[in-house]
Amino acid sequence: TYQKPAPGTDLSDTAAVYAQSRSKGFGAEVRKRILLGTYALTADAFDNYYLQAQRIRRAIKRAFNSVFQSPNVLLQTPNPPTTSGVDVLLHPTAINSAPKLGDTVQQGVDGYVQDVLTTPASLAGLPCVSVPWCVAADGWPVGMSIVGQWGDDRVVLRVAELLEDLERS
């Protein structure tokens, strides 16, 4: 969320305006992720983290391309459509139900593990949507993610609509 700079901020100093609006407008978690991303792009970390992450991203894209029936039209030589692949992938959105508001935020890696199932589709740039699917034993809703091939947004949204209709009945 953009925040207007505080009165007295030198508006001609772009860095000061950004620092002011980002420190006030973003929560602690967002600021932490921005700092981690910025660090990964520094000269010292570029080879160690960024280039390796790009190799992993390409491997994830290849893995997704190998399971979908429809070809990835972004490839210079797309694989021809196949009958052995799938139209969409379904998986739980998170590994646990949501924590209650006010519960202590998990520290370290545990705080990020909850998001781990949403990461591969994001890294591959694929359409993905989460819909409420059922209720866990603790009474909280469980989401179901639908992931499709690049360009199959309408298929993903149609499957999401069908799953929501199924869940309601």
Side-chain angles (χ1 to χ4, degrees):
T1 303
Y2 176 78
Q3 298 287 318
K4 288 187 178 183
T9 302
D10 179 5
L11 299 180
S12 66
D13 182 357
T14 305
V17 172
Y18 283 167
Q20 175 65 234
S21 64
R22 289 181 178 172
S23 64
K24 298 278 192 262
F26 295 144
E29 182 61 29
V30 172
R31 287 194 306 267
K32 184 188 323 178
R33 290 182 186 215
I34 288 171
L35 286 172
L36 288 171
T38 302
Y39 172 73
L41 292 173
T42 62
D44 292 341
F46 188 82
D47 289 338
N48 292 334
Y49 299 108
Y50 183 76
L51 293 179
Q52 174 140 348
Q54 291 296 11
R55 284 191 289 273
I56 292 169
R57 171 180 269 176
R58 283 191 298 276
I60 290 169
K61 287 181 177 183
R62 281 192 303 272
F64 274 117
N65 287 335
S66 72
V67 299
F68 286 119
Q69 182 175 348
S70 58
N72 182 337
V73 295
L74 293 179
L75 297 177
Q76 286 183 335
T77 54
N79 297 336
T82 175
T83 57
S84 63
V86 299
D87 294 314
V88 296
L89 296 169
L90 302 176
H91 63 80
T93 302
I95 60 170
N96 294 309
S97 57
K100 293 180 182 175
L101 288 176
D103 280 358
T104 305
V105 177
Q106 295 174 326
Q107 298 298 315
V109 175
D110 291 343
Y112 296 102
V113 171
Q114 187 73 341
D115 295 343
V116 74
L117 297 177
T118 62
T119 304
S122 293
L123 287 174
L126 298 177
C128 182
V129 65
S130 179
V131 296
W133 178 244
C134 63
V135 176
D138 61 6
W140 286 90
V142 173
M144 177 71 69
S145 287
I146 302 105
V147 182
Q149 178 60 285
W150 194 94
D152 284 350
D153 303 57
R154 287 185 180 171
V155 173
V156 169
L157 292 173
R158 180 66 181 132
V159 171
E161 183 180 43
L162 292 170
L163 286 176
E164 285 183 320
D165 291 345
L166 252 175
E167 197 274 329
R168 283 188 212 116
S169 59

